Amino acid sequence: MLNELGKEILKINLDNGWDVSQPGDWTASAYKLPAKLALITSEVSEALEAFRKDDALNFAEELADTLIRVLDLSAGLGLDMDTAVRLKLEKNKGRGYKHGGKRV
């Protein structure tokens, strides 16, 4: 499901003239992937601001923007996010109650 959504996001972004990631970007540029990660972070920050303003509608939109940017990056790099998320969920199941002993 995530992989298919990522493909759709890539097509929309390409059709709209945006520079999408490619598998070779992992090694081709020291700046392209960090820039994409910074854009993901900016969407999370916008979600935080929406929360601070008690704007649930905008909060959901900013979380959607975050997911869109994550899937754009992962699909462009050719990552299998369906499998990655499933494997991570299985790993998290075995971590135990509040693993790590941190407050948050």
Side-chain angles (χ1 to χ4, degrees), residues 39-49 59 62-63 66:
L39 290 170
I40 291 166
T41 302
S42 74
E43 297 297 350
V44 173
S45 295
E46 290 173 5
L48 173 60
E49 285 305 307
F59 180 77
E62 297 305 337
L63 288 181
T66 302

Side-chain angles (χ1 to χ4, degrees), residues 1-9 67 71 74-75 79-86:
M1 180 179 112
L2 294 174
N3 293 337
E4 290 303 314
L5 197 52
K7 289 176 188 174
E8 182 179 349
I9 291 165
L67 184 57
L71 292 177
S74 62
L79 303 177
D80 179 355
M81 293 307 290
D82 290 328
T83 299
V85 169
R86 283 279 155 223

Side-chain angles (χ1 to χ4, degrees), residues 19-98:
D19 181 28
V20 300
S21 297
Q22 305 288 325
D25 290 344
W26 186 262
T27 56
S29 169
Y31 300 103
K32 188 169 185 178
L33 296 186
K36 297 265 185 170
L37 292 171
L39 290 170
I40 291 166
T41 302
S42 74
E43 297 297 350
V44 173
S45 295
E46 290 173 5
L48 173 60
E49 285 305 307
F51 173 77
R52 292 177 70 198
K53 294 175 182 176
D54 200 23
D55 185 347
L57 186 60
N58 186 245
F59 180 77
E61 184 175 330
E62 297 305 337
L63 288 181
D65 283 342
T66 302
L67 184 57
I68 288 167
R69 287 199 181 273
V70 167
L71 292 177
D72 172 71
L73 177 59
S74 62
L77 292 174
L79 303 177
D80 179 355
M81 293 307 290
D82 290 328
T83 299
V85 169
R86 283 279 155 223
L87 289 173
K88 184 60 178 174
L89 288 173
E90 287 302 313
K91 184 176 183 177
N92 288 349
K93 284 180 188 178
R95 288 197 157 177
Y97 184 76
K98 294 191 177 181

